[in-house]
Amino acid sequence: MAISEVARVQLRLSDLFQQFNQGRNFKELDAQLLDIKHDIIYKKRRSPLQLQTNADAKTVHRTIQTITSRIMDDRTDAKVSNDELGVLLENIGLLDEQVRDRGIFFTFSGLMSREVFSQEQIWDCLAYLSQDEILFNHILEPENDAVFGRSLAVMLISVLLVADRIYGGVLTSAQYWQVIQQVATYALLEQDDRGYVPEKGWAHAFTHLGNVLAESTNSRLTRAQKLFFLTTCLVGYQSATAPFSFGEDQRLAMATVNLVDKEKFYADFLLELLQNWLRRLPEEPDAGDYLFWSRWYNRTHYFASLLLIPDTPDQLVKFLQKRPQY
């Protein structure tokens, strides 16, 4: 049986990480990841949107109301059932903005902040959200509405990783890395760079990636794992084909600084990535098309956002201040 395109990318990423973990491709990692990105075979046509259930928005809304009324009673013993969580998770792809963004997302955030999840539920939800069928649903196809479910899955992963930290670390190191590996694969595969979509709500995939990256910097991941994930997120951002205009550069810059201000080793690695980025995309081109200028300004805005963050390490500030500001 032929291997799927997603599985092929996963295998190549796993191999690259093993090399990186052994220090064999420290300076080449970003170029190697870009090669993988460029080699991805995307489909030319969309297929009919596949959702996980046939539930309608009213059914999901009733479940949200039931959970909210119980939790908001401030009862210390209030719990959410596995069946209720299942209704929320299985409907993250609904195209109704009120139910998806303002309902499911807000409910999950409330459950996390009130520490309502059981320890087992944190992993069960993460395992569901990070599976291929959810995170990569229609991801190889041209711009499509499945992005709302994919992107919300990434956002909820960030929420649940915060819950893991609040609970004192209920995931094993292997489980945590398993989730991050899937999100790293997502960072390379995702090609839908829309922010807010009229009448449908937020896609915002690359902002949500920044949320996972920001949370992972405070985790028990190894240095190699953190830097590998940072590089995949930056390569995904660099490869976007349209200009970002909904704060993606700011979110990614804040997440980056969360990591690199922890120790000089991280800052040195990021400086190498930024220098490579400049070499690939000249600062003063003779000519450029729409794709070039989209990527050029995305980089410029990311650099500017790094400069605006007070905690950006001095060596990076000095490097960035030498760049022309347009």
Side-chain angles (χ1 to χ4, degrees):
M1 185 169 122
I3 188 172
S4 71
E5 186 66 8
V6 169
R8 189 179 67 83
V9 172
Q10 289 170 321
L11 287 172
R12 290 185 67 182
L13 280 177
S14 178
D15 182 58
L16 277 189
F17 175 71
Q18 294 306 318
Q19 296 177 44
F20 187 70
N21 199 37
Q22 297 167 12
R24 291 160 48 198
N25 57 346
F26 190 78
K27 293 185 178 296
E28 297 81 26
L29 179 62
D30 57 336
Q32 292 172 327
L33 288 170
L34 279 166
D35 286 342
I36 293 178
K37 176 67 177 178
H38 294 156
D39 289 344
I40 295 172
I41 301 173
Y42 288 101
K43 298 179 181 179
K44 303 295 185 184
R45 305 173 114 186
R46 300 180 186 89
S47 61
L49 180 61
Q50 297 288 329
L51 298 180
Q52 302 306 309
T53 70
N54 294 319
D56 60 31
K58 291 182 180 179
T59 300
V60 181
H61 184 65
R62 283 197 296 270
T63 300
I64 291 171
Q65 286 183 316
T66 300
I67 296 171
T68 302
S69 62
R70 184 192 317 134
I71 303 305
M72 294 307 175
D73 284 341
D74 288 328
R75 298 206 318 263
T76 56
D77 61 343
K79 301 296 180 184
V80 59
S81 73
N82 292 338
D83 288 342
E84 289 170 328
L85 285 176
V87 171
L88 300 183
L89 292 172
E90 291 170 357
N91 289 282
I92 59 174
L94 283 177
L95 299 184
D96 187 317
E97 176 189 6
Q98 292 295 320
V99 174
R100 187 187 66 247
D101 294 345
R102 302 176 188 275
I104 295 174
F105 169 64
F106 283 178
T107 301
F108 257 86
S109 296
L111 294 174
M112 180 272 293
S113 63
R114 291 172 179 266
E115 300 184 37
V116 173
F117 295 113
S118 70
Q119 293 187 4
E120 294 77 12
Q121 286 173 332
I122 293 175
W123 169 243
D124 288 344
C125 291
L126 281 168
Y128 178 88
L129 291 165
S130 60
Q131 63 182 306
D132 290 3
E133 292 77 10
I134 302 301
L135 206 53
F136 310 135
N137 187 30
H138 294 269
I139 201 167
L140 295 175
E141 299 174 13
E143 186 178 283
N144 61 80
D145 285 343
V147 68
F148 297 104
R150 297 194 302 264
S151 180
L152 184 54
V154 175
M155 186 61 180
L156 294 182
I157 285 172
S158 74
V159 170
L160 288 158
L161 292 180
V162 172
D164 171 73
R165 174 165 51 83
I166 290 175
Y167 280 54
V170 302
L171 303 180
T172 66
S173 296
Q175 287 172 333
Y176 204 108
W177 178 231
Q178 178 182 327
V179 172
I180 294 301
Q181 281 181 301
Q182 284 289 85
V183 180
T185 304
Y186 175 86
L188 286 194
L189 289 172
E190 184 61 83
Q191 57 180 340
D192 195 328
D193 39 33
R194 289 177 291 172
Y196 185 79
V197 182
E199 301 180 0
K200 292 182 180 178
W202 288 99
H204 233 196
F206 288 86
T207 295
H208 296 170
L209 273 172
N211 290 330
V212 177
L213 177 63
E215 182 55 34
S216 72
T217 65
N218 299 312
S219 73
R220 54 215 179 271
L221 293 176
T222 66
R223 289 201 303 183
Q225 289 169 338
K226 290 178 180 179
L227 290 177
F228 187 85
F229 185 40
L230 169 66
T231 310
T232 60
C233 290
L234 283 175
V235 166
Y237 179 92
Q238 292 175 46
S239 302
T241 58
F244 289 120
S245 56
F246 288 92
E248 293 87 351
D249 54 292
Q250 299 166 34
R251 174 70 276 194
L252 184 59
M254 291 175 64
T256 303
V257 173
N258 277 355
L259 175 63
V260 300
D261 75 335
K262 296 184 185 303
E263 56 178 277
K264 187 175 183 298
F265 180 79
Y266 293 138
D268 289 343
F269 182 83
L270 177 63
L271 183 58
E272 184 82 22
L273 292 181
L274 300 185
Q275 290 170 335
N276 291 343
W277 196 353
L278 282 172
R279 284 190 285 269
R280 283 192 296 270
L281 202 63
E283 290 183 275
E284 298 179 3
D286 294 328
D289 56 12
Y290 179 83
L291 177 61
F292 174 87
W293 288 114
S294 294
R295 290 175 172 170
W296 192 87
Y297 275 105
N298 284 343
R299 185 188 65 190
T300 300
H301 295 158
Y302 172 74
F303 282 9
S305 293
L306 287 175
L307 274 174
L308 291 174
I309 300 173
D311 295 330
T312 300
D314 289 342
Q315 70 187 100
L316 293 174
V317 171
K318 291 176 182 177
F319 168 78
L320 293 166
Q321 285 177 336
K322 294 178 182 178
R323 313 272 67 80
Q325 301 298 306
Y326 296 97

